[in-house]
Amino acid sequence: MNATLIDSLRQVSGDSLSFAVGFALLAGLLAWLTLEIFRSLLRVWAENRQQRVALEKLRAQLAETKIRCREAEQAQTGWNGLRKFSVVKKNPECEDVNAFYLKPHDGRPLPQFKPGQYLTFQLDVPGRDKPLIRCYSLSDSPHQKEYYRVTIKKEKSPPDKPELPPGAGSSFFTDVVKEGDILNVKAPTGHFFLDMAKSNPIVLLAGGVGITPMLSMANAIAASGSKREAYFFFGVRNVREHIHKAELEKLAAENDNIHLHIAYSKPSDKDVKGKDFHHEGRVGIELLKEILPSNNFEYYLCGSGAFMKSLTDGLEAWGVPDSVVHFEAFGPATVKKKTAAPTPSETVHLAKINVTFARSNKTVRWEPSAENILEFAKAQGVKIDSGCCAGSCGSCVVAIKSGDVDYLKKPDATPEAGSCFTCVCRPKNDLVLDA
Ligand SMILES: Cc1cc2nc3c(=O)[nH]c(=O)nc-3n(C[C@H](O)[C@H](O)[C@H](O)COP(=O)(O)OP(=O)(O)OC[C@H]3O[C@@H](n4cnc5c(N)ncnc54)[C@H](O)[C@@H]3O)c2cc1C
């Protein structure tokens, strides 16, 4: 009886063992299968992800190539010299500021420009013996194919010298130019522009009429459908100086990626915070630190000298590298691009250079601390025409009879061979100028 029991027990435990072994094998098999399936799924997911990333990269490259091709095509459809444009609309924007809508008189297509670039006008101002050359930034999107738009502020007499006449070119635009008039215009140009093939986040910083290139950049982002993040700070005194107010508000309302921050430094009683403007005070580095999630942006600035100086200094102190800070000077009163001061050995060399103004019959020793030939000539009583004083408009061009010059900043336009833009260069060796 005991032996039978033992046998039965042996059989039962033998069966259990076989069952346990079988079960373990089955479980192992299942685990292995699950792992394999999981691995395969992971592989497929990783491959898909890789393909998606590669596809996105390809798409971005394709988009960039398309933009570059379009830019190259458009560069070819530009024009040389002057082209006639009709003023099809003159729209008062705010106090002393008008927007001018220009269409080519020949009816042919408009070349697209880069947002931030400007037009150069040759103006026949009554009472002047020579045409006046002035530059004005394009203020609308380059995607706008129908017209070019510039927005011009009448420059008043300096507050400390009210006896002086107001700005000649801007007064001509404000007081004389009317719808139907024809103007002589050079093709869009300029090195200060937003690269539309890039998608990195940007900060636009505008003071007063310096908004014009920034508005073009923001409009370009919106019109291209890009989701590029743009923080747009605009500082003015109050609503009376709030250029293109409605357009800015529409731009921000319709584009989540454009974050508009309007700062009024002297709001009037009628100006409503939260409606007309967002911040009381100036656009300064403290405001940027308060609003921006980090300093990791590319910055574009345009405004008065004080505006640009305080912001470029502030950005530098905040650790923003110079290479991502771009700015446009609207004239001599605005901050100059950082140019390296002459080294001690350069100073010694510069101090030995003779500059001859042939027409004025004057030869003088170059002053190493002089900013440029134009300023130096003025100090010597030699008259040279000037316009933008930033190497853009070409008004200060002078023929070089002998010698060479060094450019302190690459001019936007190329001076004709044998001449120089005196506002942005200094002599390299003994120089004879036709001035
Ligand atoms: C690339 C670029 C883009 C620009 N874009 C814009 C833009 O979009 N919108 C815009 O409004 N401006 C823009 N400007 C500025 C514009 O080109 C002109 O500089 C501006 O309109 C003033 O020119 P003006 O002829 O009216 O003044 P100017 O005649 O050059 O006079 C300038 C100032 O000097 C004073 N003045 C007159 N006579 C004398 C004297 N004898 N001594 C001392 N001072 C005197 C005038 O009262 C005035 O305040 C841009 C400039 C550049 C370089």
Side-chain angles (χ1 to χ4, degrees):
M1 176 72 181
N2 275 348
T4 319
L5 186 67
I6 288 164
D7 278 351
S8 305
L9 282 173
R10 265 198 198 128
Q11 199 178 337
V12 167
S13 64
D15 285 353
S16 306
L17 195 67
S18 317
F19 179 76
V21 170
F23 183 79
L25 277 174
L26 195 67
L29 191 70
L30 270 175
W32 177 78
L33 263 175
T34 316
L35 201 69
E36 277 307 302
I37 290 170
F38 181 70
R39 270 200 197 134
S40 307
L41 282 174
L42 210 64
R43 222 179 6 252
V44 170
W45 179 80
E47 277 169 10
N48 269 345
R49 193 161 173 272
Q50 248 176 1
Q51 277 173 357
R52 265 203 316 274
V53 170
L55 201 69
E56 262 162 38
K57 221 169 145 185
L58 257 174
R59 275 202 194 113
Q61 277 170 352
L62 194 70
E64 181 174 347
T65 312
K66 269 188 190 165
I67 291 173
R68 298 268 180 248
C69 286
R70 208 169 45 224
E71 282 176 358
E73 249 174 53
Q74 279 142 10
Q76 283 174 1
T77 55
W79 67 93
N80 288 323
L82 295 166
R83 185 172 175 188
K84 296 208 177 296
F85 276 75
S86 312
V87 179
V88 292
K89 187 170 151 195
K90 177 178 179 181
N91 200 45
E93 282 303 328
C94 63
E95 201 174 82
D96 288 330
V97 179
N98 286 281
F100 296 84
Y101 295 75
L102 311 166
K103 279 192 177 179
H105 193 54
D106 57 20
R108 293 180 50 223
L110 275 176
Q112 204 183 37
F113 56 94
K114 292 176 180 163
Q117 290 192 310
Y118 61 87
L119 293 177
T120 305
F121 293 82
Q122 187 178 291
L123 305 167
D124 293 316
V125 178
R128 288 192 165 249
D129 51 355
K130 272 202 251 169
L132 197 66
I133 313 285
R134 289 291 179 268
C135 307
Y136 292 100
S137 302
L138 288 143
S139 61
D140 207 345
S141 158
H143 295 262
Q144 170 53 254
K145 303 255 189 302
E146 291 296 303
Y147 56 78
Y148 282 156
R149 184 181 73 183
V150 288
T151 306
I152 300 179
K153 179 174 185 182
K154 179 172 174 174
E155 189 133 340
K156 294 191 180 129
S157 314
D160 56 332
K161 289 183 188 157
E163 70 284 5
L164 288 175
S170 56
S171 296
F172 177 69
F173 267 104
T174 310
D175 306 330
V176 181
V177 173
K178 55 185 188 315
E179 287 175 8
D181 283 356
I182 308 257
L183 298 169
N184 290 316
V185 187
K186 284 193 199 166
T189 187
H191 298 306
F192 178 75
F193 58 80
L194 184 68
D195 187 345
M196 292 302 290
K198 282 165 70 176
S199 56
N200 61 327
I202 55 164
V203 177
L204 306 174
L205 298 163
V209 76
I211 184 142
T212 51
M214 308 301 170
L215 186 54
S216 177
M217 293 179 190
N219 274 331
I221 292 177
S224 69
S226 142
K227 286 291 150 214
R228 192 172 188 176
E229 206 79 20
Y231 283 83
F232 193 162
F233 294 85
F234 180 31
V236 284
R237 252 178 288 212
N238 50 45
V239 80
R240 286 161 62 189
E241 295 181 356
H242 197 148
I243 303 169
H244 289 297
K245 184 171 188 285
E247 182 172 320
L248 282 164
E249 285 166 358
K250 188 164 179 274
L251 193 63
E254 290 176 358
N255 297 277
D256 295 347
N257 51 325
I258 297 178
H259 315 291
L260 185 65
H261 291 272
I262 306 288
Y264 282 3
S265 58
K266 282 188 187 154
S268 74
D269 297 343
K270 287 184 200 139
D271 300 341
V272 182
K273 192 168 177 180
K275 180 177 162 279
D276 296 310
F277 67 107
H278 309 99
H279 312 282
E280 187 165 346
R282 292 178 194 280
V283 174
I285 196 71
E286 292 313 320
L287 182 62
L288 264 58
K289 285 181 181 171
E290 185 191 320
I291 304 295
L292 299 177
S294 77
N295 67 356
N296 194 13
F297 289 85
E298 196 150 358
Y299 297 80
Y300 294 82
L301 289 82
C302 189
S304 69
F307 175 90
M308 297 219 282
K309 173 98 180 70
S310 97
L311 280 165
T312 46
D313 286 354
L315 288 171
E316 191 174 13
W318 197 18
V320 176
D322 274 359
S323 56
V324 294
V325 180
H326 315 278
F327 55 88
E328 178 83 294
F330 267 9
T334 54
V335 84
K336 300 267 190 299
K337 286 222 161 55
K338 281 178 195 162
T339 48
T343 60
S345 66
E346 276 173 340
T347 306
V348 171
H349 168 70
L350 285 168
K352 289 181 191 158
I353 291 177
N354 283 321
V355 179
T356 300
F357 297 103
R359 280 197 212 191
S360 314
N361 205 13
K362 219 173 226 183
T363 297
V364 260
R365 199 44 82 80
W366 177 257
E367 172 52 59
S369 62
E371 236 169 83
N372 50 55
I373 294 176
L374 179 68
E375 291 303 315
F376 181 69
K378 274 190 197 159
Q380 305 303 323
V382 175
K383 195 173 171 344
I384 296 179
D385 274 349
S386 63
C388 67
C389 294
S392 307
C393 73
S395 305
C396 64
V397 69
V398 164
I400 301 173
K401 294 185 125 195
S402 68
D404 303 288
V405 294
D406 265 334
Y407 277 95
L408 308 162
K409 156 189 190 268
K410 187 174 183 275
D412 286 334
T414 314
E416 270 177 35
S419 61
C420 63
F421 291 162
T422 52
C423 72
V424 280
C425 68
R426 66 180 176 210
K428 196 172 182 177
N429 41 38
D430 282 353
L431 192 65
V432 181
L433 293 170
D434 187 27

